[in-house]
Amino acid sequence: MARTSKTTASKPKAIRAAITGVHGHVPDYVLTNAELAQMVDTTDAWITERTGIKERHILKGKGLGSSHMGAQAVRGLLEKTGTLAKEVDLLICATTTPDFVFPSTANLICDMVGIRNIGSFDVQAACSGFLYAMTIAAQFIETGAAKKIVVVGTDKMSSIIDYTDRATCVLFGDGAGAIMIEPSRDGHGIRDALIRSDGAGMPHLHQKAGGSRMPPTIETVEKRLHYVHQEGAQVYKFAVARMAEISLELMLRNKLTPDKVDWLVPHQANRRIIEATAERMGLPMDRVMVTIHKYGNTTAGTIPLSLWDYEQRLKQGDRLIFAAFGGGFTWAGAYVTWAYDGS
Ligand SMILES: CC(C)(COP(=O)(O)OP(=O)(O)OC[C@H]1O[C@@H](n2cnc3c(N)ncnc32)[C@H](O)[C@@H]1OP(=O)(O)O)[C@@H](O)C(=O)NCCC(=O)NCCS
């Protein structure tokens, strides 16, 4: 019987999707806890203690939507990675605050940055949207269908926040972040990803009016139904449970003990949720990316903005666990080995 030699029997390496660049954008205007305390019945001490947030950025300016921030992040990403607009062959945008119901914000961003004639579409999975979009992008790379994919998460949360509701208005901010995804040259990249949802969570976190179920009318506006409706305590419980659960599942599937995880990259909704997730994973807080104090919850923007902030500290081969939770409910996680040295 013919025997294959060791060399000929070795399987070709599977193509892995790697993050090869990251860039972020936050608008100039900084809304501090002190300013919020003049708008609603709250204090800097309450917000800091209960959420960890000190300030958040707000997009001002007529006619500017999520696409504006997304385009800024993508422009910076293309420049930084030395990528020409014509080299990008897919752009996926995660957003819960699209400029319009249609066309997609991805479509608008492409036009703004001069990317033409490629596939572009939005992904809507609330605060897990960025990880959903990244997971989809990885499939296009792994099958060889695309070589350079831009994934952008952008949200102008201030457009759907009721600034008379102290329980929600202190939490959110505006911002965007973008990553480049390419086939890996050295085996680093997205090694595992999980996306999950449970529609029974809808009542706890949603926007009541403005969609096809309850189109906008004078009455819906008067009743302030176009704003985020959130039952904070319920959402909190699910967020902690699901973020920890998906992170631990990824650790188990990939035989990662806590000492082998270099960074947790969590969605930034509340510092206490982040701390509880890290604790359940057995990770100390100095291995957790935290940006909530300065950006608040930017929904699809939190994970790429965190990568952007910590990029200089990342080293090739670092093991990262991403975890997110959002309205829907949705949750998602990924295990990534970082592809390049940050400094
Ligand atoms: C919203 C959240 C910060 C509230 O914190 P909490 O410790 O759970 O507070 P509670 O909701 O139990 O409210 C406690 C009290 O604080 C009050 N409160 C709420 N917001 C306040 C504010 N900004 N300032 C002062 N008091 C406030 C409430 O009215 C309540 O008062 P009451 O007891 O007199 O009714 C917290 O529940 C949370 O972070 N939830 C998850 C949010 C989230 O992750 N959302 C996005 C998912 S992607």
Side-chain angles (χ1 to χ4, degrees):
M1 193 170 73
R3 281 184 165 220
T4 9
S5 76
K6 259 192 180 168
T7 39
T8 52
S10 64
K11 277 198 278 174
K13 255 193 180 174
I15 303 173
R16 190 162 279 151
I19 299 171
T20 54
V22 56
H23 198 71
H25 174 79
V26 284
D28 292 337
Y29 190 87
V30 176
L31 176 60
T32 62
N33 289 352
E35 189 177 348
L36 276 168
Q38 292 168 2
M39 295 157 63
V40 290
D41 182 15
T42 192
T43 59
D44 172 45
W46 192 95
I47 303 170
T48 307
E49 190 191 316
R50 305 308 293 162
T51 73
I53 303 168
K54 296 300 282 183
E55 58 190 36
R56 67 291 288 145
H57 293 247
I58 302 294
L59 180 62
K60 303 268 184 180
K62 217 170 168 217
L64 300 180
S66 294
S67 66
H68 172 78
M69 296 181 293
Q72 297 274 47
V74 174
R75 260 188 221 107
L77 177 72
L78 296 184
E79 200 179 307
K80 194 167 156 183
T81 55
T83 308
L84 300 174
K86 65 178 184 198
E87 292 176 308
V88 176
D89 41 23
L90 183 68
L91 185 141
I92 310 176
C93 175
T95 186
T96 301
T97 50
D99 287 32
F100 305 108
V101 172
F102 71 91
S104 74
T105 302
N107 210 174
L108 303 174
I109 292 173
C110 282
D111 184 50
M112 287 165 149
V113 304
I115 298 176
R116 310 220 179 274
N117 300 324
I118 62 157
S120 71
F121 58 90
D122 286 359
V123 168
Q124 214 289 52
C127 294
S128 312
F130 185 81
L131 289 188
Y132 267 64
M134 189 177 92
T135 304
I136 296 166
Q139 314 303 309
F140 277 86
I141 296 288
E142 286 165 12
T143 57
K147 292 274 183 288
K148 279 184 194 287
I149 305 181
V150 171
V151 175
V152 50
T154 182
D155 269 302
K156 183 184 171 185
M157 291 307 290
S158 62
S159 64
I160 55 167
I161 292 298
D162 182 351
Y163 285 94
T164 65
D165 173 12
R166 68 177 182 174
T168 52
C169 74
V170 302
L171 300 173
F172 294 92
D174 301 337
I179 57 173
M180 183 70 73
I181 306 196
E182 297 178 81
S184 165
R185 288 176 208 98
D186 49 20
H188 291 309
I190 300 163
R191 288 168 175 257
D192 198 6
L194 299 168
I195 54 173
R196 301 269 160 81
S197 70
D198 179 359
M202 182 277 282
H204 307 302
L205 182 54
H206 64 291
Q207 185 183 326
K208 291 186 186 298
S212 57
R213 197 181 282 199
M214 203 190 291
T217 61
I218 289 170
E219 196 192 352
T220 61
V221 172
E222 280 172 355
K223 289 187 171 165
R224 312 181 80 77
L225 300 179
H226 300 265
Y227 295 122
V228 169
H229 167 85
Q230 176 172 270
E231 292 155 15
Q234 282 294 330
V235 176
Y236 186 94
K237 261 195 300 194
F238 276 98
V240 171
R242 297 296 185 230
M243 295 235 313
E245 183 186 284
I246 209 155
S247 304
L248 288 167
E249 190 176 340
L250 283 164
M251 287 170 71
L252 195 68
R253 279 159 64 102
N254 295 284
K255 302 185 176 46
L256 292 170
T257 45
D259 56 303
K260 294 221 170 77
V261 177
D262 295 295
W263 292 100
L264 168 65
V265 193
H267 171 54
Q268 312 276 315
N270 184 321
R271 189 179 163 101
R272 290 184 294 141
I273 295 175
I274 297 171
E275 285 170 351
T277 305
E279 194 187 332
R280 291 182 191 196
M281 291 169 69
L283 283 193
M285 282 305 287
D286 62 2
R287 280 193 268 143
V288 180
M289 293 190 188
V290 180
T291 53
I292 192 164
H293 52 292
K294 53 184 182 172
Y295 302 142
N297 182 350
T298 55
T299 302
T302 64
I303 286 183
L305 278 172
S306 297
L307 292 175
W308 181 49
D309 258 51
Y310 280 76
E311 187 186 19
Q312 296 302 313
R313 295 167 64 178
L314 291 172
K315 299 266 169 288
Q316 188 184 55
D318 276 358
R319 299 183 195 91
L320 280 58
I321 295 282
F322 294 66
F325 179 84
F329 293 131
T330 58
W331 59 106
Y335 164 42
V336 172
T337 53
W338 197 247
Y340 60 96
D341 287 329
S343 48

